[in-house]
Amino acid sequence: MDTRIVLLLNPPLDEKERSGALAAAAGRTMPYGLLSLAAVVRQAGFPVDFLDASGMNLDVEETCAAILARFPWVVGITTVTQSIDRVALITRRLKE
C-alpha cells in the first residue's frame, strides 16, 4: 500500500448555512459522495483520511490546523455554493 495519504474534506458549514430557515428541523447526513470517493481511492491502493469539518463544527482555522496535522499528500474538497468562499480561504491558507 502506498504511504501517500489522500485527505478528503467536507468543509465547515454551520446548520443555518446548510439548511436556512429549516435549520431547526433539518437533520445531518453523511457526505456520501466523499465516502464513495474514499472507497475508490482506497481500492486504488492509497490510504485515505477523512475530515468532516462541518459535522465536527470546526471553523476555518481549526480545519486548516487539522489538515496540516495529518500531513496529507493531496487534499480533495467537496463544496456547495454556501461554503465556496470558505473553501477558497482554506485552500489559500493551506498553500501558504
Side-chain angles (χ1 to χ4, degrees), residues 6 11 15 28 38 42-43 46-47 57 59 62 66-67 72 75-76:
V6 175
E15 292 292 329
R28 289 187 181 226
R42 183 168 285 147
Q43 284 179 338
F46 293 94
N57 294 317
D59 63 20
E62 293 167 327
I67 292 169
V75 178

Side-chain angles (χ1 to χ4, degrees), residues 24-83:
R28 289 187 181 226
T29 61
M30 295 295 293
Y32 294 112
L34 279 181
L35 294 174
S36 297
L37 183 58
V40 172
V41 170
R42 183 168 285 147
Q43 284 179 338
F46 293 94
V48 178
D49 197 355
F50 185 81
L51 179 60
D52 187 1
S54 179
M56 296 170 65
N57 294 317
L58 301 179
D59 63 20
V60 169
E61 296 302 323
E62 293 167 327
T63 300
C64 289
I67 292 169
L68 294 174
R70 295 166 190 212
F71 300 101
W73 172 58
V74 67
V75 178
I77 306 172
T78 188
T79 193
V80 293
T81 303
Q82 297 92 322
S83 66

